[in-house]
PDB file of all heavy atoms in Angstrom:
ATOM      1  N   GLY A   5       0.788  -1.220   0.000  1.00  0.00           N
ATOM      2  CA  GLY A   5       0.000   0.000   0.000  1.00  0.00           C
ATOM      3  C   GLY A   5       0.823   1.273   0.000  1.00  0.00           C
ATOM      4  O   GLY A   5       0.284   2.366   0.175  1.00  0.00           O
ATOM      5  N   ARG A   6       2.116   1.161  -0.212  1.00  0.00           N
ATOM      6  CA  ARG A   6       3.015   2.317  -0.207  1.00  0.00           C
ATOM      7  C   ARG A   6       3.085   2.933  -1.604  1.00  0.00           C
ATOM      8  O   ARG A   6       3.124   2.225  -2.600  1.00  0.00           O
ATOM      9  CB  ARG A   6       4.422   1.890   0.221  1.00  0.00           C
ATOM     10  CG  ARG A   6       4.501   1.286   1.591  1.00  0.00           C
ATOM     11  CD  ARG A   6       5.787   0.485   1.815  1.00  0.00           C
ATOM     12  NE  ARG A   6       6.986   1.260   1.526  1.00  0.00           N
ATOM     13  CZ  ARG A   6       7.735   1.102   0.441  1.00  0.00           C
ATOM     14  NH1 ARG A   6       7.383   0.213  -0.493  1.00  0.00           N
ATOM     15  NH2 ARG A   6       8.805   1.824   0.262  1.00  0.00           N
ATOM     16  N   THR A   7       3.121   4.262  -1.666  1.00  0.00           N
ATOM     17  CA  THR A   7       3.229   4.972  -2.933  1.00  0.00           C
ATOM     18  C   THR A   7       4.653   5.472  -3.117  1.00  0.00           C
ATOM     19  O   THR A   7       5.228   6.066  -2.201  1.00  0.00           O
ATOM     20  CB  THR A   7       2.251   6.162  -2.984  1.00  0.00           C
ATOM     21  OG1 THR A   7       0.919   5.670  -2.832  1.00  0.00           O
ATOM     22  CG2 THR A   7       2.364   6.892  -4.318  1.00  0.00           C
ATOM     23  N   LEU A   8       5.207   5.206  -4.289  1.00  0.00           N
ATOM     24  CA  LEU A   8       6.555   5.652  -4.615  1.00  0.00           C
ATOM     25  C   LEU A   8       6.522   6.424  -5.927  1.00  0.00           C
ATOM     26  O   LEU A   8       5.686   6.150  -6.793  1.00  0.00           O
ATOM     27  CB  LEU A   8       7.520   4.469  -4.742  1.00  0.00           C
ATOM     28  CG  LEU A   8       7.735   3.588  -3.506  1.00  0.00           C
ATOM     29  CD1 LEU A   8       6.756   2.430  -3.511  1.00  0.00           C
ATOM     30  CD2 LEU A   8       9.158   3.044  -3.472  1.00  0.00           C
ATOM     31  N   GLU A   9       7.448   7.364  -6.057  1.00  0.00           N
ATOM     32  CA  GLU A   9       7.540   8.164  -7.269  1.00  0.00           C
ATOM     33  C   GLU A   9       8.958   8.096  -7.818  1.00  0.00           C
ATOM     34  O   GLU A   9       9.935   8.266  -7.079  1.00  0.00           O
ATOM     35  CB  GLU A   9       7.172   9.620  -6.992  1.00  0.00           C
ATOM     36  CG  GLU A   9       7.252  10.515  -8.226  1.00  0.00           C
ATOM     37  CD  GLU A   9       6.842  11.944  -7.944  1.00  0.00           C
ATOM     38  OE1 GLU A   9       6.296  12.193  -6.857  1.00  0.00           O
ATOM     39  OE2 GLU A   9       7.070  12.808  -8.812  1.00  0.00           O
ATOM     40  N   PHE A  10       9.069   7.817  -9.113  1.00  0.00           N
ATOM     41  CA  PHE A  10      10.351   7.746  -9.798  1.00  0.00           C
ATOM     42  C   PHE A  10      10.371   8.784 -10.916  1.00  0.00           C
ATOM     43  O   PHE A  10       9.370   8.976 -11.612  1.00  0.00           O
ATOM     44  CB  PHE A  10      10.575   6.353 -10.401  1.00  0.00           C
ATOM     45  CG  PHE A  10      10.607   5.253  -9.386  1.00  0.00           C
ATOM     46  CD1 PHE A  10       9.430   4.629  -8.967  1.00  0.00           C
ATOM     47  CD2 PHE A  10      11.800   4.820  -8.843  1.00  0.00           C
ATOM     48  CE1 PHE A  10       9.451   3.613  -8.042  1.00  0.00           C
ATOM     49  CE2 PHE A  10      11.832   3.798  -7.912  1.00  0.00           C
ATOM     50  CZ  PHE A  10      10.661   3.191  -7.506  1.00  0.00           C
ATOM     51  N   ASP A  11      11.504   9.446 -11.095  1.00  0.00           N
ATOM     52  CA  ASP A  11      11.634  10.411 -12.188  1.00  0.00           C
ATOM     53  C   ASP A  11      11.453   9.725 -13.534  1.00  0.00           C
ATOM     54  O   ASP A  11      10.828  10.263 -14.441  1.00  0.00           O
ATOM     55  CB  ASP A  11      13.007  11.086 -12.147  1.00  0.00           C
ATOM     56  CG  ASP A  11      13.067  12.179 -11.092  1.00  0.00           C
ATOM     57  OD1 ASP A  11      11.998  12.597 -10.624  1.00  0.00           O
ATOM     58  OD2 ASP A  11      14.170  12.601 -10.735  1.00  0.00           O
ATOM     59  N   GLU A  12      12.037   8.534 -13.662  1.00  0.00           N
ATOM     60  CA  GLU A  12      11.963   7.742 -14.888  1.00  0.00           C
ATOM     61  C   GLU A  12      11.914   6.273 -14.516  1.00  0.00           C
ATOM     62  O   GLU A  12      12.086   5.899 -13.356  1.00  0.00           O
ATOM     63  CB  GLU A  12      13.175   8.021 -15.778  1.00  0.00           C
ATOM     64  CG  GLU A  12      13.280   9.445 -16.290  1.00  0.00           C
ATOM     65  CD  GLU A  12      14.491   9.631 -17.188  1.00  0.00           C
ATOM     66  OE1 GLU A  12      15.620   9.557 -16.672  1.00  0.00           O
ATOM     67  OE2 GLU A  12      14.292   9.816 -18.394  1.00  0.00           O
ATOM     68  N   HIS A  13      11.713   5.432 -15.525  1.00  0.00           N
ATOM     69  CA  HIS A  13      11.747   4.000 -15.269  1.00  0.00           C
ATOM     70  C   HIS A  13      13.156   3.600 -14.827  1.00  0.00           C
ATOM     71  O   HIS A  13      14.139   4.024 -15.434  1.00  0.00           O
ATOM     72  CB  HIS A  13      11.359   3.217 -16.527  1.00  0.00           C
ATOM     73  CG  HIS A  13       9.947   3.428 -16.938  1.00  0.00           C
ATOM     74  ND1 HIS A  13       9.581   4.378 -17.874  1.00  0.00           N
ATOM     75  CD2 HIS A  13       8.801   2.847 -16.523  1.00  0.00           C
ATOM     76  CE1 HIS A  13       8.268   4.351 -18.026  1.00  0.00           C
ATOM     77  NE2 HIS A  13       7.767   3.438 -17.224  1.00  0.00           N
ATOM     78  N   PRO A  14      13.254   2.809 -13.784  1.00  0.00           N
ATOM     79  CA  PRO A  14      14.572   2.437 -13.268  1.00  0.00           C
ATOM     80  C   PRO A  14      15.349   1.553 -14.246  1.00  0.00           C
ATOM     81  O   PRO A  14      14.769   0.714 -14.941  1.00  0.00           O
ATOM     82  CB  PRO A  14      14.243   1.683 -11.979  1.00  0.00           C
ATOM     83  CG  PRO A  14      12.840   1.224 -12.140  1.00  0.00           C
ATOM     84  CD  PRO A  14      12.158   2.257 -12.976  1.00  0.00           C
ATOM     85  N   ASP A  15      16.659   1.755 -14.257  1.00  0.00           N
ATOM     86  CA  ASP A  15      17.544   0.949 -15.099  1.00  0.00           C
ATOM     87  C   ASP A  15      18.085  -0.270 -14.357  1.00  0.00           C
ATOM     88  O   ASP A  15      18.407  -1.277 -14.980  1.00  0.00           O
ATOM     89  CB  ASP A  15      18.735   1.781 -15.574  1.00  0.00           C
ATOM     90  CG  ASP A  15      18.365   2.764 -16.666  1.00  0.00           C
ATOM     91  OD1 ASP A  15      17.629   2.373 -17.578  1.00  0.00           O
ATOM     92  OD2 ASP A  15      18.807   3.926 -16.586  1.00  0.00           O
ATOM     93  N   ARG A  16      18.222  -0.136 -13.046  1.00  0.00           N
ATOM     94  CA  ARG A  16      18.915  -1.161 -12.266  1.00  0.00           C
ATOM     95  C   ARG A  16      17.994  -1.648 -11.141  1.00  0.00           C
ATOM     96  O   ARG A  16      17.765  -0.952 -10.157  1.00  0.00           O
ATOM     97  CB  ARG A  16      20.223  -0.607 -11.708  1.00  0.00           C
ATOM     98  CG  ARG A  16      21.191  -0.128 -12.801  1.00  0.00           C
ATOM     99  CD  ARG A  16      22.510   0.354 -12.204  1.00  0.00           C
ATOM    100  NE  ARG A  16      23.213  -0.711 -11.503  1.00  0.00           N
ATOM    101  CZ  ARG A  16      23.972  -1.622 -12.100  1.00  0.00           C
ATOM    102  NH1 ARG A  16      24.118  -1.622 -13.425  1.00  0.00           N
ATOM    103  NH2 ARG A  16      24.584  -2.563 -11.386  1.00  0.00           N
ATOM    104  N   ILE A  17      17.488  -2.860 -11.329  1.00  0.00           N
ATOM    105  CA  ILE A  17      16.533  -3.451 -10.396  1.00  0.00           C
ATOM    106  C   ILE A  17      17.149  -4.706  -9.779  1.00  0.00           C
ATOM    107  O   ILE A  17      17.679  -5.563 -10.490  1.00  0.00           O
ATOM    108  CB  ILE A  17      15.212  -3.808 -11.104  1.00  0.00           C
ATOM    109  CG1 ILE A  17      14.561  -2.546 -11.687  1.00  0.00           C
ATOM    110  CG2 ILE A  17      14.260  -4.523 -10.152  1.00  0.00           C
ATOM    111  CD1 ILE A  17      13.332  -2.834 -12.542  1.00  0.00           C
ATOM    112  N   VAL A  18      17.067  -4.808  -8.467  1.00  0.00           N
ATOM    113  CA  VAL A  18      17.466  -6.020  -7.760  1.00  0.00           C
ATOM    114  C   VAL A  18      16.200  -6.770  -7.349  1.00  0.00           C
ATOM    115  O   VAL A  18      15.306  -6.194  -6.716  1.00  0.00           O
ATOM    116  CB  VAL A  18      18.316  -5.705  -6.516  1.00  0.00           C
ATOM    117  CG1 VAL A  18      18.536  -6.975  -5.686  1.00  0.00           C
ATOM    118  CG2 VAL A  18      19.660  -5.116  -6.922  1.00  0.00           C
ATOM    119  N   LEU A  19      16.120  -8.046  -7.718  1.00  0.00           N
ATOM    120  CA  LEU A  19      15.014  -8.896  -7.285  1.00  0.00           C
ATOM    121  C   LEU A  19      15.472  -9.648  -6.042  1.00  0.00           C
ATOM    122  O   LEU A  19      16.209 -10.629  -6.136  1.00  0.00           O
ATOM    123  CB  LEU A  19      14.619  -9.881  -8.388  1.00  0.00           C
ATOM    124  CG  LEU A  19      14.135  -9.278  -9.706  1.00  0.00           C
ATOM    125  CD1 LEU A  19      13.827 -10.389 -10.712  1.00  0.00           C
ATOM    126  CD2 LEU A  19      12.912  -8.397  -9.499  1.00  0.00           C
ATOM    127  N   ALA A  20      15.069  -9.170  -4.882  1.00  0.00           N
ATOM    128  CA  ALA A  20      15.513  -9.803  -3.639  1.00  0.00           C
ATOM    129  C   ALA A  20      15.038 -11.239  -3.558  1.00  0.00           C
ATOM    130  O   ALA A  20      15.689 -12.082  -2.928  1.00  0.00           O
ATOM    131  CB  ALA A  20      15.013  -9.011  -2.434  1.00  0.00           C
ATOM    132  N   GLU A  21      13.908 -11.548  -4.165  1.00  0.00           N
ATOM    133  CA  GLU A  21      13.494 -12.937  -4.353  1.00  0.00           C
ATOM    134  C   GLU A  21      13.667 -13.263  -5.825  1.00  0.00           C
ATOM    135  O   GLU A  21      12.980 -12.719  -6.691  1.00  0.00           O
ATOM    136  CB  GLU A  21      12.046 -13.164  -3.917  1.00  0.00           C
ATOM    137  CG  GLU A  21      11.612 -14.615  -4.133  1.00  0.00           C
ATOM    138  CD  GLU A  21      10.392 -14.999  -3.326  1.00  0.00           C
ATOM    139  OE1 GLU A  21      10.521 -15.201  -2.106  1.00  0.00           O
ATOM    140  OE2 GLU A  21       9.320 -15.111  -3.933  1.00  0.00           O
ATOM    141  N   GLY A  22      14.592 -14.167  -6.102  1.00  0.00           N
ATOM    142  CA  GLY A  22      14.932 -14.478  -7.487  1.00  0.00           C
ATOM    143  C   GLY A  22      13.779 -15.029  -8.293  1.00  0.00           C
ATOM    144  O   GLY A  22      13.696 -14.832  -9.506  1.00  0.00           O
ATOM    145  N   ARG A  23      12.858 -15.710  -7.614  1.00  0.00           N
ATOM    146  CA  ARG A  23      11.739 -16.306  -8.336  1.00  0.00           C
ATOM    147  C   ARG A  23      10.766 -15.270  -8.886  1.00  0.00           C
ATOM    148  O   ARG A  23       9.814 -15.627  -9.596  1.00  0.00           O
ATOM    149  CB  ARG A  23      11.007 -17.302  -7.425  1.00  0.00           C
ATOM    150  CG  ARG A  23      11.741 -18.618  -7.267  1.00  0.00           C
ATOM    151  CD  ARG A  23      11.135 -19.477  -6.183  1.00  0.00           C
ATOM    152  NE  ARG A  23      11.347 -18.894  -4.857  1.00  0.00           N
ATOM    153  CZ  ARG A  23      10.897 -19.431  -3.722  1.00  0.00           C
ATOM    154  NH1 ARG A  23      10.200 -20.557  -3.760  1.00  0.00           N
ATOM    155  NH2 ARG A  23      11.147 -18.855  -2.558  1.00  0.00           N
ATOM    156  N   ALA A  24      11.024 -14.001  -8.616  1.00  0.00           N
ATOM    157  CA  ALA A  24      10.225 -12.949  -9.250  1.00  0.00           C
ATOM    158  C   ALA A  24      10.418 -12.939 -10.756  1.00  0.00           C
ATOM    159  O   ALA A  24       9.635 -12.304 -11.472  1.00  0.00           O
ATOM    160  CB  ALA A  24      10.579 -11.586  -8.663  1.00  0.00           C
ATOM    161  N   VAL A  25      11.429 -13.658 -11.262  1.00  0.00           N
ATOM    162  CA  VAL A  25      11.585 -13.741 -12.719  1.00  0.00           C
ATOM    163  C   VAL A  25      10.463 -14.552 -13.362  1.00  0.00           C
ATOM    164  O   VAL A  25      10.269 -14.473 -14.571  1.00  0.00           O
ATOM    165  CB  VAL A  25      12.964 -14.307 -13.130  1.00  0.00           C
ATOM    166  CG1 VAL A  25      14.082 -13.356 -12.759  1.00  0.00           C
ATOM    167  CG2 VAL A  25      13.202 -15.677 -12.533  1.00  0.00           C
ATOM    168  N   PHE A  26       9.722 -15.330 -12.581  1.00  0.00           N
ATOM    169  CA  PHE A  26       8.489 -15.895 -13.134  1.00  0.00           C
ATOM    170  C   PHE A  26       7.609 -14.756 -13.646  1.00  0.00           C
ATOM    171  O   PHE A  26       7.041 -14.832 -14.740  1.00  0.00           O
ATOM    172  CB  PHE A  26       7.720 -16.680 -12.068  1.00  0.00           C
ATOM    173  CG  PHE A  26       8.184 -18.080 -11.825  1.00  0.00           C
ATOM    174  CD1 PHE A  26       8.838 -18.421 -10.651  1.00  0.00           C
ATOM    175  CD2 PHE A  26       7.959 -19.077 -12.756  1.00  0.00           C
ATOM    176  CE1 PHE A  26       9.255 -19.722 -10.404  1.00  0.00           C
ATOM    177  CE2 PHE A  26       8.372 -20.389 -12.535  1.00  0.00           C
ATOM    178  CZ  PHE A  26       9.025 -20.711 -11.346  1.00  0.00           C
ATOM    179  N   ALA A  27       7.493 -13.709 -12.838  1.00  0.00           N
ATOM    180  CA  ALA A  27       6.642 -12.574 -13.195  1.00  0.00           C
ATOM    181  C   ALA A  27       7.235 -11.757 -14.330  1.00  0.00           C
ATOM    182  O   ALA A  27       6.532 -11.399 -15.286  1.00  0.00           O
ATOM    183  CB  ALA A  27       6.414 -11.691 -11.968  1.00  0.00           C
ATOM    184  N   THR A  28       8.527 -11.455 -14.260  1.00  0.00           N
ATOM    185  CA  THR A  28       9.129 -10.641 -15.321  1.00  0.00           C
ATOM    186  C   THR A  28       9.135 -11.388 -16.650  1.00  0.00           C
ATOM    187  O   THR A  28       9.136 -10.758 -17.709  1.00  0.00           O
ATOM    188  CB  THR A  28      10.558 -10.206 -14.947  1.00  0.00           C
ATOM    189  OG1 THR A  28      11.397 -11.358 -14.790  1.00  0.00           O
ATOM    190  CG2 THR A  28      10.563  -9.401 -13.656  1.00  0.00           C
ATOM    191  N   SER A  29       9.100 -12.722 -16.596  1.00  0.00           N
ATOM    192  CA  SER A  29       9.039 -13.509 -17.829  1.00  0.00           C
ATOM    193  C   SER A  29       7.756 -13.257 -18.605  1.00  0.00           C
ATOM    194  O   SER A  29       7.737 -13.361 -19.834  1.00  0.00           O
ATOM    195  CB  SER A  29       9.149 -15.010 -17.510  1.00  0.00           C
ATOM    196  OG  SER A  29      10.403 -15.346 -16.988  1.00  0.00           O
ATOM    197  N   ALA A  30       6.685 -12.965 -17.895  1.00  0.00           N
ATOM    198  CA  ALA A  30       5.406 -12.717 -18.552  1.00  0.00           C
ATOM    199  C   ALA A  30       5.281 -11.281 -19.047  1.00  0.00           C
ATOM    200  O   ALA A  30       4.320 -10.964 -19.758  1.00  0.00           O
ATOM    201  CB  ALA A  30       4.255 -13.029 -17.591  1.00  0.00           C
ATOM    202  N   LEU A  31       6.246 -10.438 -18.692  1.00  0.00           N
ATOM    203  CA  LEU A  31       6.148  -9.029 -19.034  1.00  0.00           C
ATOM    204  C   LEU A  31       7.109  -8.581 -20.124  1.00  0.00           C
ATOM    205  O   LEU A  31       6.851  -7.586 -20.793  1.00  0.00           O
ATOM    206  CB  LEU A  31       6.396  -8.175 -17.772  1.00  0.00           C
ATOM    207  CG  LEU A  31       5.347  -8.308 -16.671  1.00  0.00           C
ATOM    208  CD1 LEU A  31       5.775  -7.515 -15.440  1.00  0.00           C
ATOM    209  CD2 LEU A  31       3.978  -7.848 -17.157  1.00  0.00           C
ATOM    210  N   GLN A  32       8.212  -9.299 -20.310  1.00  0.00           N
ATOM    211  CA  GLN A  32       9.193  -8.842 -21.293  1.00  0.00           C
ATOM    212  C   GLN A  32       9.895 -10.025 -21.947  1.00  0.00           C
ATOM    213  O   GLN A  32       9.950 -11.120 -21.389  1.00  0.00           O
ATOM    214  CB  GLN A  32      10.216  -7.904 -20.645  1.00  0.00           C
ATOM    215  CG  GLN A  32      10.826  -8.389 -19.357  1.00  0.00           C
ATOM    216  CD  GLN A  32      11.645  -7.300 -18.655  1.00  0.00           C
ATOM    217  OE1 GLN A  32      11.620  -6.139 -19.033  1.00  0.00           O
ATOM    218  NE2 GLN A  32      12.402  -7.689 -17.649  1.00  0.00           N
ATOM    219  N   ASP A  33      10.401  -9.780 -23.146  1.00  0.00           N
ATOM    220  CA  ASP A  33      11.006 -10.852 -23.930  1.00  0.00           C
ATOM    221  C   ASP A  33      12.226 -11.448 -23.250  1.00  0.00           C
ATOM    222  O   ASP A  33      12.507 -12.638 -23.391  1.00  0.00           O
ATOM    223  CB  ASP A  33      11.392 -10.329 -25.319  1.00  0.00           C
ATOM    224  CG  ASP A  33      10.174  -9.968 -26.162  1.00  0.00           C
ATOM    225  OD1 ASP A  33       9.084 -10.504 -25.869  1.00  0.00           O
ATOM    226  OD2 ASP A  33      10.312  -9.162 -27.091  1.00  0.00           O
ATOM    227  N   ASP A  34      12.958 -10.625 -22.531  1.00  0.00           N
ATOM    228  CA  ASP A  34      14.082 -11.106 -21.738  1.00  0.00           C
ATOM    229  C   ASP A  34      13.751 -10.820 -20.279  1.00  0.00           C
ATOM    230  O   ASP A  34      13.730  -9.660 -19.856  1.00  0.00           O
ATOM    231  CB  ASP A  34      15.377 -10.395 -22.133  1.00  0.00           C
ATOM    232  CG  ASP A  34      16.595 -10.916 -21.365  1.00  0.00           C
ATOM    233  OD1 ASP A  34      16.411 -11.569 -20.316  1.00  0.00           O
ATOM    234  OD2 ASP A  34      17.731 -10.650 -21.815  1.00  0.00           O
ATOM    235  N   PRO A  35      13.483 -11.852 -19.479  1.00  0.00           N
ATOM    236  CA  PRO A  35      13.065 -11.620 -18.088  1.00  0.00           C
ATOM    237  C   PRO A  35      14.119 -10.925 -17.244  1.00  0.00           C
ATOM    238  O   PRO A  35      13.803 -10.413 -16.161  1.00  0.00           O
ATOM    239  CB  PRO A  35      12.775 -13.029 -17.566  1.00  0.00           C
ATOM    240  CG  PRO A  35      13.506 -13.949 -18.485  1.00  0.00           C
ATOM    241  CD  PRO A  35      13.519 -13.280 -19.817  1.00  0.00           C
ATOM    242  N   PHE A  36      15.378 -10.882 -17.736  1.00  0.00           N
ATOM    243  CA  PHE A  36      16.450 -10.257 -16.979  1.00  0.00           C
ATOM    244  C   PHE A  36      16.751  -8.823 -17.422  1.00  0.00           C
ATOM    245  O   PHE A  36      17.670  -8.200 -16.890  1.00  0.00           O
ATOM    246  CB  PHE A  36      17.720 -11.109 -17.080  1.00  0.00           C
ATOM    247  CG  PHE A  36      17.602 -12.453 -16.425  1.00  0.00           C
ATOM    248  CD1 PHE A  36      17.345 -13.587 -17.184  1.00  0.00           C
ATOM    249  CD2 PHE A  36      17.736 -12.596 -15.050  1.00  0.00           C
ATOM    250  CE1 PHE A  36      17.235 -14.839 -16.587  1.00  0.00           C
ATOM    251  CE2 PHE A  36      17.620 -13.839 -14.446  1.00  0.00           C
ATOM    252  CZ  PHE A  36      17.375 -14.969 -15.216  1.00  0.00           C
ATOM    253  N   ASP A  37      15.996  -8.294 -18.372  1.00  0.00           N
ATOM    254  CA  ASP A  37      16.190  -6.901 -18.774  1.00  0.00           C
ATOM    255  C   ASP A  37      16.022  -5.986 -17.563  1.00  0.00           C
ATOM    256  O   ASP A  37      15.025  -6.078 -16.832  1.00  0.00           O
ATOM    257  CB  ASP A  37      15.172  -6.507 -19.848  1.00  0.00           C
ATOM    258  CG  ASP A  37      15.650  -6.835 -21.252  1.00  0.00           C
ATOM    259  OD1 ASP A  37      16.814  -7.250 -21.399  1.00  0.00           O
ATOM    260  OD2 ASP A  37      14.849  -6.683 -22.195  1.00  0.00           O
ATOM    261  N   ASN A  38      16.984  -5.094 -17.364  1.00  0.00           N
ATOM    262  CA  ASN A  38      16.991  -4.127 -16.263  1.00  0.00           C
ATOM    263  C   ASN A  38      17.161  -4.767 -14.890  1.00  0.00           C
ATOM    264  O   ASN A  38      17.073  -4.085 -13.872  1.00  0.00           O
ATOM    265  CB  ASN A  38      15.745  -3.251 -16.267  1.00  0.00           C
ATOM    266  CG  ASN A  38      15.689  -2.322 -17.461  1.00  0.00           C
ATOM    267  OD1 ASN A  38      16.701  -2.055 -18.098  1.00  0.00           O
ATOM    268  ND2 ASN A  38      14.504  -1.842 -17.779  1.00  0.00           N
ATOM    269  N   ILE A  39      17.377  -6.081 -14.849  1.00  0.00           N
ATOM    270  CA  ILE A  39      17.664  -6.769 -13.592  1.00  0.00           C
ATOM    271  C   ILE A  39      19.177  -6.880 -13.450  1.00  0.00           C
ATOM    272  O   ILE A  39      19.860  -7.324 -14.382  1.00  0.00           O
ATOM    273  CB  ILE A  39      17.022  -8.172 -13.551  1.00  0.00           C
ATOM    274  CG1 ILE A  39      15.539  -8.111 -13.935  1.00  0.00           C
ATOM    275  CG2 ILE A  39      17.227  -8.806 -12.177  1.00  0.00           C
ATOM    276  CD1 ILE A  39      14.696  -7.216 -13.066  1.00  0.00           C
ATOM    277  N   VAL A  40      19.708  -6.485 -12.302  1.00  0.00           N
ATOM    278  CA  VAL A  40      21.167  -6.509 -12.118  1.00  0.00           C
ATOM    279  C   VAL A  40      21.614  -7.542 -11.093  1.00  0.00           C
ATOM    280  O   VAL A  40      22.809  -7.862 -11.011  1.00  0.00           O
ATOM    281  CB  VAL A  40      21.693  -5.118 -11.720  1.00  0.00           C
ATOM    282  CG1 VAL A  40      21.460  -4.124 -12.855  1.00  0.00           C
ATOM    283  CG2 VAL A  40      21.064  -4.622 -10.422  1.00  0.00           C
TER     284      VAL A  40
END
């Protein structure tokens, strides 16, 4: 329920739970794009 504001889309994202790539797989052609 927290609101955050970013100037632009982030370039460098850390997935503290690695299995979140299940989700990013459904959103982009390369699930690791912008994931560092």
Side-chain angles (χ1 to χ4, degrees):
R6 300 162 54 255
T7 300
L8 299 92
E9 180 178 349
F10 299 87
D11 281 344
E12 296 181 292
H13 294 94
D15 285 317
R16 300 183 62 82
I17 299 173
V18 171
L19 299 178
E21 179 161 285
R23 283 170 292 179
V25 293
F26 278 109
T28 62
S29 294
L31 294 175
Q32 48 190 10
D33 293 337
D34 183 342
F36 294 100
D37 273 353
N38 293 341
I39 310 302
V40 295

